[in-house]
């Protein structure tokens, strides 16, 4: 593999990482809005039923989903760092090999 190919793969990896991070942030935003709406509905049901609706699970579910998203973001960041480091190591090895070639 050529140095430029490794550099291109590194750039593609950075682009994929940004896209994935943005997708997760968008998903997190959408899910947060959905949970807020559900909590508004719960509040309305409690008001109508004088506090006896029994629908207070939404906040627990929101926390659970938020934790899942955060864990996913951390795991993906770790995987991207590993892949990026592997490509950087490969690039350094190729540069080292190139510099050791004789130029006769």
């Amino acid at each position: 593999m050529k140095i430029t190919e490794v550099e291109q793969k590194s750039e593609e990896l950075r682009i994929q990482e940004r896209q994935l991070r943005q997708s997760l942030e968008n998903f997190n935003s959408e899910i947060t809005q959905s949970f807020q709406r559900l909590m508004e509905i719960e509040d309305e049901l409690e008001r109508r039923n004088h506090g006896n609706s029994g629908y207070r699970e939404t906040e627990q579910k929101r926390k659970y989903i938020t934790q899942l998203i955060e864990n996913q973001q951390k795991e993906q960041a770790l995987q991207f760092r590993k892949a990026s480091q592997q490509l950087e190591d490969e690039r350094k090895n190729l540069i080292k090999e190139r510099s050791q070639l004789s130029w006769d």
Side-chain angles (χ1 to χ4, degrees):
M1 185 175 290
K2 296 180 181 181
I3 295 170
T4 56
E5 291 172 346
V6 172
E7 290 171 342
Q8 179 65 32
K9 282 186 177 184
S10 291
E11 181 60 27
E12 290 170 2
L13 185 65
R14 282 189 290 276
I15 290 168
Q16 288 175 355
E17 181 181 21
R18 279 192 300 269
Q19 289 172 340
L20 186 55
R21 190 180 317 124
Q22 185 63 48
S23 293
L24 279 172
E25 288 171 4
N26 291 344
F27 176 72
N28 192 24
S29 177
E30 288 177 25
I31 204 81
T32 298
Q33 290 173 1
S34 295
F35 274 114
Q36 286 173 345
R37 180 67 183 129
L38 281 172
M39 288 169 43
E40 290 170 4
I41 292 169
E42 282 181 355
D43 290 343
E44 178 64 20
L45 286 172
E46 280 193 27
R47 188 183 61 75
R48 288 182 183 180
N49 294 320
H50 308 290
N52 297 323
S53 70
Y55 287 99
R56 278 287 148 205
E57 296 178 13
T58 302
E59 181 61 21
Q60 293 172 340
K61 290 176 183 176
R62 184 197 64 78
K63 288 178 181 179
Y64 177 75
I65 296 294
T66 299
Q67 187 62 45
L68 285 176
I69 293 169
E70 288 174 4
N71 290 344
Q72 185 66 31
Q73 289 171 323
K74 288 176 185 176
E75 180 62 28
Q76 288 173 342
L78 176 64
Q79 294 303 320
F80 277 113
R81 279 194 302 275
K82 285 180 182 179
S84 181
Q85 186 61 50
Q86 287 175 340
L87 287 170
E88 182 61 20
D89 291 345
E90 186 176 352
R91 187 182 75 80
K92 286 179 180 179
N93 286 336
L94 289 170
I95 290 172
K96 183 179 177 181
E97 288 175 14
R98 182 180 65 186
S99 68
Q100 293 174 351
L101 292 175
S102 62
W103 295 91
D104 298 334

